[in-house]
Amino acid sequence: MAQQRASFGSKFGIIMAAAGSAVGLGNIWRFPIETGNNGGAAFLLVYMVAVVLLGVPLMLAEFFIGRYAHTNTAHAYKKLSSHPLWSNIGFIGVLGGSIILCYYVVVAGWVMKYFFLSVDGTLTSLYQPGNAANYESLFGNFVSNPWSPLLYMLVFVLTCHFAIASGVQKGIEKLSKIFMPALFVILVVLVIFSLFAPGAQAGLKFLFYPDFSKLTTSAMLSAISQAFYSLSLCMGCLCTYASYFGKDVNMVRSAVSISVIDALVAVMAGLIIFPAVFSSGIDPQSGPSLAFIALPAAFQSAFESVPIVSYVVSMLFYALLVLAALTSAMSLYEVPTAYIHERWNISRKTATMVVTAVCLLLGTVCSLSMGVLGDMKLFGKNFFDLCDYFTTTWMMPMSGILIAIFVGWVVKREIFINEVTNGGTLRPTGANIMLFLLRWIAPVLVLASFLAVLGVL
Ligand code: PHE
């Protein structure tokens, strides 16, 4: 098996694929929502600290395990320990990554639909000054309709399916090398447009001028879980991708670069969204519907005097979301695909088909839970919210604590340093700093936030 294993073809491809996993709906959709709900700049600050103290070391820990073990996530941990507590960490990733995938494809389907609605001019034509009611009913009718969201989800899932079935280099790497630079270009164009929106200063102030009175414990926790989500941590994606890395990749440098790219995209998304939101007088705390109700209205109103600009801006924005969602979904797809492919020794194409079938089935339940299955609730949540809650509130932090303790304390220090310094050819400073963070900072911070969520602390 090992001799035939897939690999990435270039270092640029590795950064684009891993950054593609990190940069997703989490940066452009979830980050502005969280920032809006938690008071803006102060949240951004804690988020940045969480990225540095938790994000980079945990990303490196996953890279280390993946490249060292050279196999799928579920088996990777077994190569470093036979104790059931540690050897099964990888299964949390396979399970969690698969659950996230099932609701991620639903939102990605909505995003695709909105891209088409912006291209055919519907979003522009529905605009009524000072009133988002049209967008509200558009979105409400769309998500509660049983068929239409399913159709878009199907298109999105099939796109991922063909990308993954094409292989690591020909599918994931090739597409990431095209999509990520395209995404950057769109981002820059949108930031420039947005900064010229009338009244953009209020949005900038909201994003960059911290008001520490808004910094509640729950805001700090949200910042930590946002950092986890946004960097694709602890769900097996980075570990699986690292199993395709070459032995000459500088993993510390890669983890830093990817985290910087991810944070930069989140800030740029904030720079696009908040000026438009403030200049149109919309409440930045409008929650998950922000991207589908408040934003279409905000884009139209911010550029009311030049309708062609609002048309182009909303089209580019949804194109951006589609690209970002695709590269992240591919990384989520790859986790169970690699596992099934190697565990049962079946072809990559067949493994992808199994993942697609499960994803379509559970994705359908997620999608329908926004409408006809809305009354089917567990712990007061519909299936869609339950998948999100269970993975981000429970599985991610739990797996984060385990990974930090495992790499920091259980794995022999020499093994970690040797792998991360590429057999002693790189300077060990970075590896040592990361090991320190993994030992002393990450477990404590994540555990504290986890206990606080449970109301114990
Ligand atoms: N990081 C992705 C995003 O920002 C989401 C994701 C989470 C992907 C966990 C993989 C694993 O949208």
Side-chain angles (χ1 to χ4, degrees), residues 285-304:
Q285 301 201 4
S286 46
S289 59
L290 181 79
F292 303 100
I293 298 172
L295 269 186
F299 287 146
Q300 304 305 322
S301 117
F303 305 103
E304 212 171 2

Side-chain angles (χ1 to χ4, degrees), residues 20-27 97 100 104 226 228-233 235 237 262 324 328-329 331-332 396:
S21 167
V23 172
L25 298 175
N27 303 59
I100 293 183
Y104 206 83
Q226 174 59 24
F228 268 59
Y229 188 84
S230 177
L231 291 170
S232 306
L233 295 177
M235 292 289 107
C237 302
D262 187 68
S328 295
S331 75
L332 288 162
M396 272 190 183

Side-chain angles (χ1 to χ4, degrees), residues 39-40 64 83 92 119-120 122 145 227 266 280 305 320 337 353 371 390:
F64 152 67
H83 189 289
I92 307 180
V119 173
D120 75 6
T122 308
N145 178 309
S280 59
S305 48
L320 177 78
T337 305
M353 267 190 285
F390 190 58

Side-chain angles (χ1 to χ4, degrees), residues 239-390:
C239 181
T240 306
Y241 273 10
S243 72
Y244 307 131
F245 285 6
K247 286 288 181 196
D248 58 340
V249 172
N250 183 333
M251 295 194 290
V252 177
R253 195 185 289 163
S254 305
V256 172
S257 316
I258 292 156
S259 305
V260 169
I261 293 176
D262 187 68
L264 198 69
V265 173
V267 173
M268 286 170 89
L271 280 177
I272 294 165
I273 288 165
F274 291 115
V277 163
F278 276 89
S279 79
S280 59
I282 280 167
D283 180 7
Q285 301 201 4
S286 46
S289 59
L290 181 79
F292 303 100
I293 298 172
L295 269 186
F299 287 146
Q300 304 305 322
S301 117
F303 305 103
E304 212 171 2
S305 48
V306 251
I308 182 73
V309 175
S310 43
Y311 173 83
V312 172
V313 165
S314 42
M315 189 174 70
L316 285 179
F317 181 75
Y318 291 105
L320 177 78
L321 279 174
V322 172
L323 292 182
L326 262 172
T327 47
S328 295
M330 282 180 338
S331 75
L332 288 162
Y333 235 89
E334 182 60 20
V335 177
T337 305
Y339 170 61
I340 295 170
H341 168 51
E342 293 179 341
R343 167 70 179 77
W344 284 282
N345 211 2
I346 54 177
S347 76
R348 187 179 172 85
K349 289 209 160 57
T350 317
T352 317
M353 267 190 285
V354 176
V355 177
T356 299
V358 175
C359 175
L360 283 178
L361 192 76
L362 294 180
T364 301
V365 183
C366 276
S367 179
L368 294 180
S369 74
M370 303 304 286
V372 287
L373 296 183
D375 292 335
M376 206 178 80
K377 288 199 165 132
L378 209 64
F379 307 116
K381 295 185 188 322
N382 66 25
F383 191 67
F384 182 105
D385 293 337
L386 201 66
C387 290
D388 183 31
Y389 171 76
F390 190 58

